Amino acid sequence: MRHKAQNAEIEKIAEEIMNILLGHKFSYLPKDLIGINLPIEKVVNLLLLDSLDDVRVVGICGMGGVGKTTLATALFGQISHQFDARCFIDDLSKIYRHDGPIGAQKQILHQTLGGEPFQICNLYDTANLIQSRLRRLRALIILDNVDKVDQLDKLAVNREWIGAGSRIIIISRDEHILKAYGVDAVYKVPLLNETNSVQLFCRKAFKLDHILSSYEGLVNGILHYADGLPLAIKILGSFLFGRDISEWKSALSRLRESPNKDVMDVLRLSFDGLEELEKKIFLDIACFFNGCQEGYVKKVLNCCGFNADIGLRVLIDKSLLIMNDDQFIIMHSLLEELGKNIVQEMSTKESRKWTRVWLNKQLQNVMLENVEWTVEAISLGIYFEDKQKPIMGETLSKMSHLRLLIFGDIIFKGNLSYLSNELRYVEWFWYPFEYLPPCFHPNQLVELNLKDSSIKQLWKDKKHLPNLRRLDLTYSKNLRKMPDFGDIPNLEELDLTGCIKLVEIDPSIGVLKKLYYLSLKDCKNLVNIPNNIFGLTSLQYLNLSGCPKMNKNPIPRQSRTSFWKRTTIGLRSFYGYHEGLASSLLPSFPSLYCLSEVDISFCGLSQLPSAIGCLRQLVRLNVSGNNFVTLPNLKELSNLEYLNLQHCMLLESLPQLPLPTFFDITTKRNTTLKHMKNFCERKVGLVIFNCPKLGESEYCDNIAFSWMTQFIWARQQSSSAFFYGNLIDIVIPRSEIPIWFKNQSESGSIRMELSTIMNNNCIGIACCVVFSVEPSDRTVEASDKLYSNIFYEFRYNSNRWSWSRGIGVNLERGLIGVKSNHMYLFYIPKRSFFDIMKSIDQPLTDLDDIIFKVGIYNGKGRDSEVQHCGYRLVYEHDLQDLNLTMMHPENLSTHKGKFLAIENEAQP
């Protein structure tokens, strides 16, 4: 018995030694593992190794060549000794292709349980064996290169079947596979930063940790090409080792013409695994849309019938794209090169097939090879590499299978006798012809964008375009006539901004029951819009800004009665005006119940119909630059978020405006806006600027602070990210800073105590600026776009961060006879403030205080004078106090007293 016990103890010790040795099987790490420590630390944190009561599954994903396997190998070497059993499957998808799931299961059993022979006949037996052998062991299992979810399902390595404290790591290029399997966390392997890229390259190219001085420029060129991808850096560095400068230059030149095959072969694996539609999306983005805004790319791809929402999601999951914080689509430069290379492979002289054209030289090849019929997409935009070489109309006329056409700033010569009837998206700025080709019948066309074109009329004869959804003829200054809208019955957006020779709109516009966007802004010669425009019950956006001629011709007396009967609610200012004109300017508002945004600024109106107060869906209203003396009651516009009254020179009083309620006075509970999501995605505000007869009023203050409270509270309750671009615009006439702003300065700068902001529970900083405006003696057109900006900056010693944004007023339009003062309110959330501070290259704890400087300038760079500025730290209880104070108009007489009372309250 004693002998047996001793043998058992020896075997146990031997087994522990073997476990330790096996656990360090991968502990040797090559010297070229640069920047690996931080990723290992992050994955270890996700694994929660100290937790021994559960089984945790972590995924690792990233684009090909980014170092997923390298990371997993290093990780295995560092942590595997902590487990009773361990397994690293190098390439699961390859094993499946050769030996099926049973082959993979055999490897798991062999690696975790040693060299014991296993007689395995079917998946059921294997699953039972894995469950019975591993359920009492704490195991580490790493599965590399998983490219299908069912590979994991058939493997039968369920978290319920292995011992407590076990960890499973799954590596895939496709994040969706990891999420579909149900991993607990995912780590996305990042590209190398600049420092690590240089170090890795130097170790491969020079066997050193630094750049040889004579090679510095060439190294920068190589690293720019590799763009942080470890695979490319290692391959190119090894290839260039021991070569002289002339060979390096030759290699770099060759890379620009022909990509490295070893790198492309790795990246190509991800492309080959895509479905056909996703391949088309990938190639379109690589050739045309890398770095473009997500909404624009989706729009174009959807026009082409590519179902872009799911297609882009798949490409992102497979690490072929990323979406940055600003919603731009970014494809790694080597993946872009892969896509373009694939298109060029498809377009060899032997195959004679050019599907996509993005360079002038490619277009020349198409012409030389006489294969115009193979081209399906062209994009020669603002970055066209050779703008001096003209595009010949005859070449374009031969492209019968074109689905996508994007032309920017190009020179076009010759005649355009034909355009492909298969076109689905056309974006042609400065279209040089007066008409579209007569034989152009694009019944698949979804969007036609001819901004700044020379077009007089789209087509002379009737054309049926049942799929056209968007028509943009912005600033087509020669446009005189619109087509019969019955030919495009499904039109949803019509933009005729700046079509200055357009006099009337075809009466058939009334058939566009799906039209939700209509802009006639700055159509300054437009005198007639048909009465049946008020039948557009889907209309949400209406812009008639800068159309002053629509109220000039008198109405014959015999026509007045029929006019008022048809329009129900008219513009009192147009009584006595010509029937067609009056009805064309503002239709019966109640029938347009879907309107959410209306812009009727600078139309010379002297009265607004009271029915505008019935538009309960209205979110934005711009009536600036008109001749109103009074305005109707707008109190019922509960969704109103933006009201612009600037340059209403005759306005004597403010209308009743909606005052938001966020707090139930009895329960002290907040109520959330039903349109919170939309509210937090748009610019909001109140602009009362250059209204000299209005003067300063406590009611104006009341409205301004109520709206600011609404804004801050909505932002505070919203989970959506909010940064600098989405601030509120509040501009009102005022000469002094309210008492509520505790910290004030009689200049454009003020000192802030950073420690106060850091060490309390404030939610943000409310700021205000009082600025003066000098009268302007220049005549300004309604289309003038010289809007003013506010700039502010934070300074600490030599460190400075500055930023500017529009404040929603146009100082150049001012026709004020005397100098006037206005106050501008804005708010910086605490989170955004500390994001700003990150750009100051110094630890925040070392900053005792900073200088906050603010200024306002117009489009010509002439600063307006800043009289005062101030700020206040905002707490949640401030919002409640302000809300309760501002909600009752009868309290206006004690308005300033309540400001003072709030100000004197003790801060938390």
Side-chain angles (χ1 to χ4, degrees):
M1 289 290 292
R2 182 180 298 178
H3 181 69
K4 288 184 178 180
Q6 288 176 344
N7 286 342
E9 190 68 26
I10 291 171
E11 287 180 5
K12 183 178 179 181
I13 294 171
E15 184 180 353
E16 290 180 358
I17 293 172
M18 288 300 296
N19 285 338
I20 293 172
L21 292 175
L22 286 171
H24 287 79
K25 179 169 65 173
F26 285 81
S27 62
Y28 170 73
L29 299 180
K31 292 183 178 179
D32 61 0
L33 289 187
I34 305 299
I36 198 71
N37 291 332
L38 182 58
I40 287 178
E41 180 183 337
K42 291 190 175 182
V43 178
V44 168
N45 290 338
L46 296 177
L47 287 170
L48 303 179
L49 295 176
D50 293 335
S51 176
L52 303 178
D53 298 328
D54 60 349
V55 175
R56 189 166 175 82
V57 184
V58 171
I60 296 177
C61 69
M63 66 179 289
V66 78
K68 300 182 296 296
T69 301
T70 303
L71 170 60
T73 303
L75 183 66
F76 190 87
Q78 295 223 358
I79 68 172
S80 59
H81 66 280
Q82 303 178 33
F83 296 86
D84 304 323
R86 57 205 63 81
C87 171
F88 193 117
I89 304 294
D90 291 310
D91 191 336
L92 187 65
S93 62
K94 182 178 180 181
I95 295 173
Y96 263 72
R97 287 194 300 270
H98 291 91
D99 303 314
I102 291 180
Q105 290 172 330
K106 284 183 178 180
Q107 282 215 26
I108 292 174
L109 288 169
H110 175 72
Q111 290 191 39
T112 55
L113 303 176
E116 181 181 346
F118 298 100
Q119 298 300 320
I120 298 174
C121 300
N122 55 60
L123 291 175
Y124 178 78
D125 291 339
T126 315
N128 284 336
L129 191 57
I130 289 176
Q131 182 179 9
S132 63
R133 295 297 184 94
L134 295 182
R135 65 188 310 171
R136 293 182 180 85
L137 298 176
R138 187 187 185 210
L140 172 63
I141 300 174
I142 298 181
L143 306 172
D144 193 8
N145 194 24
V146 178
D147 57 15
K148 291 181 181 178
V149 178
D150 64 356
Q151 292 172 354
L152 298 170
D153 294 335
K154 293 177 181 177
L155 204 55
V157 183
N158 300 323
R159 64 175 79 204
E160 297 83 7
W161 293 2
I162 56 180
S166 295
R167 296 294 183 264
I168 301 174
I169 299 174
I170 303 171
I171 304 167
S172 177
R173 296 185 184 189
D174 191 339
E175 186 177 3
H176 184 259
I177 290 175
L178 304 175
K179 291 180 177 178
Y181 183 69
V183 300
D184 297 303
V186 176
Y187 178 70
K188 301 190 78 168
V189 182
L191 297 166
L192 291 181
N193 60 31
E194 182 179 354
T195 300
N196 290 333
S197 296
V198 170
Q199 190 176 2
L200 176 58
F201 182 79
C202 289
R203 287 191 180 179
K204 290 294 182 179
F206 305 122
K207 308 303 181 187
L208 300 169
D209 284 333
H210 61 274
I211 303 173
L212 295 179
S213 58
S214 56
Y215 286 82
E216 186 170 354
L218 292 167
V219 169
N220 291 335
I222 296 291
L223 292 179
H224 178 76
Y225 173 84
D227 196 15
L229 188 68
L231 173 71
I233 294 172
K234 287 192 284 188
I235 289 176
L236 296 175
S238 299
F239 175 74
L240 292 169
F241 172 70
R243 304 186 188 277
D244 60 31
I245 289 180
S246 63
E247 292 170 325
W248 276 55
K249 290 180 179 179
S250 177
L252 185 57
S253 178
R254 187 170 71 180
L255 281 175
R256 295 184 180 124
E257 296 295 327
S258 177
N260 180 276
K261 184 179 183 302
D262 292 337
V263 176
M264 291 296 118
D265 285 347
V266 173
L267 298 178
R268 176 98 188 216
L269 293 173
S270 295
F271 175 81
D272 290 339
L274 297 174
E275 300 292 337
E276 286 303 312
L277 197 56
E278 291 151 6
K279 287 181 178 179
K280 291 182 179 180
I281 294 175
F282 177 87
L283 295 178
D284 271 7
I285 293 175
C287 295
F288 306 136
F289 303 124
N290 190 9
C292 292
Q293 205 273 337
E294 175 198 13
Y296 171 74
V297 177
K298 280 186 176 180
K299 178 185 72 170
V300 178
L301 294 176
N302 283 330
C303 286
C304 294
F306 286 175
N307 301 313
D309 292 84
I310 183 61
L312 289 175
R313 184 71 258 168
V314 169
L315 295 182
I316 291 171
D317 287 340
K318 290 183 179 294
S319 304
L320 293 171
L321 295 177
I322 64 169
M323 196 85 66
N324 69 11
D325 293 338
D326 296 321
Q327 300 300 301
F328 283 85
I329 290 175
I330 305 298
M331 177 181 284
H332 190 279
S333 57
L334 289 175
L335 288 170
E336 177 185 334
E337 188 167 3
L338 170 70
K340 291 179 176 179
N341 191 48
I342 290 171
V343 170
Q344 290 171 335
E345 287 175 359
M346 296 162 56
S347 307
T348 60
K349 290 185 178 181
E350 289 74 20
S351 64
R352 303 238 177 230
K353 186 178 181 182
W354 292 87
T355 59
R356 293 164 178 82
V357 173
W358 63 93
L359 295 173
N360 185 285
K361 64 181 181 181
Q362 296 168 333
L363 198 58
Q364 304 305 318
N365 288 336
V366 168
M367 290 189 293
L368 289 173
E369 297 170 17
N370 197 29
V371 289
E372 289 88 350
W373 62 275
T374 66
V375 179
E376 66 175 68
I378 299 179
S379 179
L380 301 174
I382 58 174
Y383 301 113
F384 188 37
E385 89 285 6
D386 191 350
K387 296 180 181 180
Q388 300 306 312
K389 288 187 177 180
I391 305 297
M392 302 306 296
E394 291 75 14
T395 301
L396 194 59
S397 298
K398 295 179 183 179
M399 296 181 179
S400 57
H401 296 296
L402 205 59
R403 63 170 168 86
L404 170 65
L405 176 62
I406 299 176
F407 277 165
D409 186 11
I410 64 169
I411 299 173
F412 199 90
K413 287 190 176 181
N415 297 316
L416 185 65
S417 59
Y418 175 80
L419 274 175
S420 169
N421 290 332
E422 296 181 16
L423 276 166
R424 302 175 70 99
Y425 182 88
V426 176
E427 182 181 311
W428 191 336
F429 294 175
W430 300 285
Y431 177 78
F433 304 105
E434 295 182 352
Y435 303 92
L436 291 170
C439 55
F440 180 44
H441 298 283
N443 58 10
Q444 298 183 62
L445 189 65
V446 179
E447 177 162 340
L448 179 61
N449 186 336
L450 301 178
K451 291 182 180 179
D452 293 286
S453 73
S454 298
I455 203 113
K456 285 186 176 180
Q457 185 177 342
L458 287 172
W459 44 78
K460 294 182 179 179
D461 302 322
K462 289 182 70 66
K463 295 182 185 293
H464 186 57
L465 279 68
N467 291 303
L468 191 64
R469 298 294 189 271
R470 187 170 191 271
L471 178 58
D472 189 341
L473 300 173
T474 303
Y475 298 108
S476 294
K477 297 183 179 180
N478 293 320
L479 183 69
R480 289 172 168 81
K481 185 177 181 181
M482 289 301 296
D484 186 332
F485 291 103
D487 296 336
I488 45 178
N490 294 308
L491 195 67
E492 297 174 355
E493 297 181 56
L494 177 60
D495 197 336
L496 301 175
T497 299
C499 295
I500 58 177
K501 291 188 178 178
L502 189 65
V503 176
E504 62 180 2
I505 301 296
D506 194 280
S508 60
I509 194 173
V511 307
L512 301 179
K513 301 305 180 183
K514 297 181 180 180
L515 192 73
Y516 70 85
Y517 181 100
L518 175 61
S519 177
L520 300 171
K521 180 181 178 182
D522 297 331
C523 294
K524 60 183 182 181
N525 287 304
L526 189 67
V527 297
N528 181 32
I529 300 177
N531 294 338
N532 60 6
I533 191 176
F534 61 75
L536 304 177
T537 53
S538 296
L539 198 63
Q540 299 177 34
Y541 176 93
L542 176 63
N543 193 332
L544 301 174
S545 173
C547 298
K549 287 193 175 181
M550 289 192 291
N551 63 345
K552 298 302 182 185
N553 298 329
I555 299 178
R557 288 185 177 272
Q558 62 270 23
S559 301
R560 293 177 188 171
T561 303
S562 61
F563 165 65
W564 292 119
K565 284 182 179 179
R566 280 201 311 277
T567 58
T568 309
I569 303 292
L571 296 177
R572 299 291 183 184
S573 59
F574 294 106
Y575 186 79
Y577 294 152
H578 154 309
E579 179 184 46
L581 281 159
S583 61
S584 72
L585 181 58
L586 283 176
S588 176
F589 274 128
S591 65
L592 299 177
Y593 54 83
C594 287
L595 277 174
S596 63
E597 184 163 349
V598 173
D599 189 336
I600 48 174
S601 58
F602 294 92
C603 286
L605 304 178
S606 59
Q607 192 165 347
L608 197 64
S610 59
I612 198 169
C614 301
L615 297 178
R616 302 299 174 84
Q617 302 302 316
L618 199 62
V619 175
R620 295 175 61 84
L621 176 61
N622 188 346
V623 295
S624 61
N626 285 302
N627 301 319
F628 307 124
V629 176
T630 61
L631 289 171
N633 186 349
L634 303 178
K635 188 176 182 180
E636 300 303 318
L637 301 182
S638 58
N639 285 313
L640 195 66
E641 299 170 2
Y642 181 83
L643 176 64
N644 195 328
L645 298 173
Q646 65 177 308
H647 304 301
C648 290
M649 308 286 290
L650 303 179
L651 187 64
E652 295 180 353
S653 62
L654 287 175
Q656 285 187 286
L657 297 176
L659 295 176
T661 302
F662 291 103
F663 299 88
D664 185 291
I665 297 177
T666 56
T667 65
K668 305 296 183 182
R669 294 179 179 176
N670 67 288
T671 58
T672 305
L673 292 176
K674 63 182 179 181
H675 57 294
M676 179 72 71
K677 181 178 184 295
N678 291 332
F679 181 82
C680 293
E681 292 175 353
R682 288 190 293 258
K683 187 170 84 170
V684 297
L686 174 67
V687 180
I688 305 173
F689 174 78
N690 188 22
C691 301
K693 293 193 175 183
L694 189 61
E696 299 181 24
S697 71
E698 292 181 344
Y699 180 67
C700 194
D701 292 348
N702 183 340
I703 294 296
F705 275 89
S706 295
W707 281 39
M708 187 180 74
T709 304
Q710 176 186 24
F711 160 77
I712 297 174
W713 187 257
R715 298 298 185 196
Q716 188 68 12
Q717 298 302 305
S718 171
S719 60
S720 62
F722 164 62
F723 199 50
Y724 320 114
N726 239 354
L727 298 182
I728 191 172
D729 287 337
I730 292 185
V731 181
I732 61 172
R734 211 178 200 282
S735 300
E736 297 179 357
I737 294 178
I739 301 174
W740 186 74
F741 288 93
K742 181 178 180 180
N743 305 282
Q744 300 188 16
S745 169
E746 294 187 1
S747 68
S749 64
I750 191 169
R751 187 176 299 273
M752 287 184 171
E753 295 182 3
L754 187 62
S755 58
T756 305
I757 303 172
M758 293 177 64
N759 298 327
N760 60 41
N761 58 351
C762 70
I763 62 175
I765 307 171
C767 305
C768 73
V769 183
V770 173
F771 63 98
S772 62
V773 182
E774 295 287 350
S776 173
D777 57 0
R778 69 184 282 261
T779 302
V780 181
E781 297 291 334
S783 60
D784 199 314
K785 299 180 181 63
L786 296 177
Y787 278 75
S788 58
N789 281 359
I790 182 171
F791 71 87
Y792 58 83
E793 63 185 25
F794 298 91
R795 290 185 178 184
Y796 178 76
N797 294 335
S798 59
N799 295 289
R800 183 174 75 172
W801 186 93
S802 61
W803 182 65
S804 68
R805 64 180 300 273
I807 65 171
V809 301
N810 189 332
L811 300 182
E812 286 298 310
R813 274 184 176 161
L815 301 176
I816 319 170
V818 294
K819 186 175 182 179
S820 63
N821 293 327
H822 291 77
M823 180 175 70
Y824 176 60
L825 300 175
F826 61 102
Y827 173 76
I828 308 173
K830 187 174 183 178
R831 170 183 163 190
S832 298
F833 175 81
F834 283 109
D835 284 338
I836 294 171
M837 290 297 99
K838 288 177 184 177
S839 63
I840 296 181
D841 189 19
Q842 191 165 351
L844 291 179
T845 53
D846 293 340
L847 296 175
D848 295 325
D849 51 26
I850 57 177
I851 300 297
F852 173 66
K853 184 177 180 180
V854 63
I856 295 179
Y857 61 91
N858 63 17
K860 287 190 171 182
R862 175 175 58 86
D863 286 1
S864 299
E865 183 181 353
V866 174
Q867 304 281 359
H868 314 288
C869 72
Y871 76 92
R872 176 189 174 111
L873 302 186
V874 179
Y875 304 83
E876 285 199 12
H877 79 84
D878 288 327
L879 302 181
Q880 184 173 0
D881 292 338
L882 271 175
N883 186 69
L884 293 172
T885 301
M886 300 299 179
M887 283 306 299
H888 305 287
E890 65 272 15
N891 290 337
L892 288 177
S893 60
T894 58
H895 179 68
K896 291 184 179 179
K898 290 192 175 183
F899 261 151
L900 185 58
I902 296 172
E903 172 60 33
N904 291 332
E905 288 182 358
Q907 299 296 335

